[in-house]
Amino acid sequence: SRRVAVDKKRIRHEKLFQHMNAIVPGDDEAVKHGKPAPDIYLEAARQLSVDPKECLVFEDALSGVKAGKAAGCLVVAVPDSRMEKNVFHD
């Protein structure tokens, strides 16, 4: 999500966001390519000073699942109820 959308989500879900040590919005200048490119997850791992292989990604979109996998992260797909579930199977 773009920074504006993330800021709105932060207000709505303040208790959840207080536990996050790094938040990288899709329009962050370090993110040169959007999902399914791995940029956003590689930047988050960099900000946390961890190897992407040590990151757990929860994603609700196929492009995000592909991005997390491309970064080397462990990915949990949480499909939106409006989406076809079979697109998340390898």
Side-chain angles (χ1 to χ4, degrees):
S1 298
R2 300 179 71 71
R3 184 171 305 279
V4 169
V6 172
D7 288 344
K8 288 179 183 177
K9 291 175 186 177
R10 274 185 116 138
I11 293 167
R12 190 169 179 202
H13 304 286
E14 185 179 340
K15 288 184 181 182
L16 176 65
F17 275 80
Q18 72 184 11
H19 299 288
M20 296 181 187
N21 295 322
I23 297 171
V24 182
D27 57 352
D28 187 289
E29 63 184 39
V31 179
K32 303 299 182 202
H33 305 284
K35 298 171 187 176
D39 300 28
I40 198 163
Y41 292 114
L42 295 173
E43 176 59 16
R46 187 194 69 74
Q47 288 185 21
L48 293 167
S49 300
V50 298
D51 189 305
K53 292 177 183 144
E54 296 180 29
C55 294
L56 177 61
V57 171
F58 290 90
E59 258 297 342
D60 65 348
L62 183 58
S63 61
V65 170
K66 289 179 178 180
K69 284 184 168 187
C73 304
L74 179 60
V75 180
V76 176
V78 183
D80 185 301
S81 61
R82 299 168 290 180
M83 299 176 72
E84 291 184 41
K85 309 285 187 281
N86 63 345
V87 299
F88 289 97
H89 294 220
D90 271 343

